[in-house]
Amino acid sequence: QLQLQESGPGLVTPSETLSLTCSVYGASISTYDYYWVWIRQPPGQGLEWIGSLYYGGSTFYNPSLKSRVTISVDTSKNQVSLKVRSVTAADTAVYYCASPTTVQTHPLDYWGLGTLVTVSS
Amino acid sequence: QSVLTQPPSVSGAPGQRVTISCTGSSSNIGAGYDVHWYQQLPGTAPKVLIYVNSHRPSGVPDRFSGSKSGTSASLAITGLQAEDEADYYCQSYDSSLSGPIFGGGTKLTVL
């Protein structure tokens, strides 16, 4: 059973870089050709796709965030990471790690609990 | 602004039936991509309620049903119960974005 857990600073200063990790349990990132997806939800608002990484070698980013976002994997730690550069208050949100497993059009069956990141000085 | 359009809110009395619509375009639902529905209770991550347009995961009551036609999909909930009060999101895939897309969410209030 796949389990995901997000972690990272809960407070980030404006103009700095937001860095989060998603620890994966129950599957090895390096041996499972899964998609790993980052989604965020601003307080009181809806869900927004940030980007997806396919360990087979591709990353896909929401065009609205593409210039500021990087998603990567650390196979030694079995983690997926998210970096959002030059953050503003608009980046304040609960950030979720999720996975549809092997097919990008499948439902997002697995979600982490989410982690709230506040951008404030 | 979300790629998929949902009504912001719906409401109904216990025992009644409500529907939530989800409208997309030719690059997502209209292109044949499946629609999935999620239920999000306050303070929790979304949970799959309906997958591949009309299928229920084990454990989801048959009071919940989904359908898809053309560029739209809908979620129906019959026999409303107080515990159904939650936010509901539709989700599909968009070929122009190469990623999943969501509706703006619909808040269900059980009167």
Side-chain angles (χ1 to χ4, degrees), chain A residues 2-106:
Chain A
L2 191 63
Q3 291 185 326
L4 308 175
Q5 183 175 340
E6 306 88 349
S7 60
L11 181 64
V12 180
T13 303
S15 80
E16 298 296 309
T17 296
L18 179 162
S19 296
L20 297 175
T21 59
C22 172
S23 297
V24 178
Y25 302 97
S28 170
I29 288 178
S30 59
T31 58
Y32 283 73
D33 286 342
Y34 284 2
Y35 284 88
W36 308 102
V37 182
W38 283 98
I39 292 160
R40 70 182 184 179
Q41 185 172 35
Q45 297 184 40
L47 302 164
E48 178 183 33
W49 171 63
I50 300 171
S52 305
L53 180 146
Y54 177 58
Y55 187 67
S58 303
T59 51
F60 309 88
Y61 298 116
N62 188 324
S64 68
L65 296 167
K66 185 174 183 177
S67 64
R68 300 193 293 126
V69 170
T70 301
I71 298 174
S72 60
V73 294
D74 183 336
T75 55
S76 66
K77 296 181 179 178
N78 217 40
Q79 292 177 336
V80 182
S81 69
L82 169 71
K83 294 187 185 299
V84 182
R85 296 174 290 278
S86 303
V87 297
T88 69
D91 295 307
T92 294
V94 174
Y95 285 75
Y96 293 102
C97 174
S99 178
T101 63
T102 58
V103 180
Q104 198 170 190
T105 59
H106 282 186

Side-chain angles (χ1 to χ4, degrees), chain A residues 37 39 41 45-49 52 60-63 96 104-114, chain B residues 2 33-34 36 38 40 43-48 51-52 89 91 93 97-104:
Chain A
V37 182
I39 292 160
Q41 185 172 35
Q45 297 184 40
L47 302 164
E48 178 183 33
W49 171 63
S52 305
F60 309 88
Y61 298 116
N62 188 324
Y96 293 102
Q104 198 170 190
T105 59
H106 282 186
L108 294 158
D109 283 326
Y110 301 98
W111 293 71
L113 296 179
Chain B
S2 302
Y33 293 109
D34 295 321
H36 318 297
Y38 300 83
Q40 185 178 34
T44 68
K47 180 189 79 169
V48 178
Y51 66 96
V52 186
Y89 292 89
Q91 181 246 311
Y93 176 86
L97 298 175
S98 297
I101 51 172
F102 294 92

